[in-house]
Amino acid sequence: INSLLVLDIPVELGWKIGELPMRMFGEFAVNLEGDDRAAAAGHPGSDGQRYAYQAGLAVGQLKAKSDWEIRSWWQHTDQYSVDPNLVDSDIFDSRVNMQGVAVKAGYALADAIIFNLTWAYGWRSNGNFGTGGTGDIGINPLDQYQIFQADLNVKF
């Protein structure tokens, strides 16, 4: 499907309340060739299916042993907004045309060992399109998606 020219704008604003680190974060992407991609896929006139965005809030920060962080965000990805290979494989199974919420809590067991719990719930945002992507679930369209995951990350 045609080329992919995406304008991506990440934003992050951090501050502290006392000693507690806080941050707001977000990202906005627009596929400048989204209409061409839609037409090549047999969906001409699919205006508005070129945007992806994320907005969230984090409390705490993971830098050293005993640090903790909780963050939550909203994520929306239109059908022709980004290459599905660029979508997080855990959150919404690498799918486009999905939207929903995610919460991640982390704790630093040591300076280089982080334990995370992540929960996400998403759903298809536009019923006229499938949920393209190459995730682990072989269903398209994927109407709803929910994950609860535990990760142990070790930095070398």
Side-chain angles (χ1 to χ4, degrees):
I1 298 177
N2 289 344
S3 61
L4 185 68
L5 180 60
V6 176
L7 174 64
D8 184 41
I9 303 169
V11 177
E12 186 171 319
L13 175 64
W15 70 94
K16 287 188 176 185
I17 296 179
E19 293 296 315
L20 184 62
M22 309 276 291
R23 79 184 150 99
M24 289 179 19
F25 58 91
E27 190 167 5
F28 175 78
V30 59
N31 183 350
L32 302 175
E33 297 177 347
D35 290 339
D36 294 339
R37 289 178 63 83
H43 296 282
S46 298
D47 293 339
Q49 285 295 308
R50 66 177 74 109
Y51 302 104
Y53 48 89
Q54 177 185 91
L57 178 67
V59 178
Q61 190 172 27
L62 296 170
K63 282 189 164 185
K65 182 179 179 178
S66 300
D67 285 352
W68 59 272
E69 179 185 69
I70 298 173
R71 61 180 135 159
S72 180
W73 66 95
W74 169 266
Q75 181 173 309
H76 175 96
T77 308
D78 281 340
Q79 181 70 23
Y80 303 107
S81 60
V82 295
D83 184 317
N85 295 311
L86 301 176
V87 179
D88 187 324
S89 62
D90 294 332
I91 309 301
F92 313 143
D93 196 39
S94 296
R95 304 300 182 105
V96 293
N97 191 30
M98 296 288 289
Q99 64 184 1
V101 296
V103 178
K104 185 173 196 173
Y107 183 76
L109 300 170
D111 288 349
I113 302 174
I114 308 293
F115 177 69
N116 287 303
L117 295 174
T118 305
W119 171 81
Y121 179 73
W123 56 93
R124 184 164 52 149
S125 58
N126 186 320
N128 296 322
F129 299 100
T131 51
T134 55
D136 295 326
I137 301 171
I139 299 171
N140 188 356
L142 187 62
D143 287 321
Q144 295 181 354
Y145 179 80
Q146 184 168 220
I147 188 170
F148 181 74
Q149 175 174 293
D151 288 314
L152 185 64
N153 300 302
V154 179
K155 297 178 189 177
F156 293 95

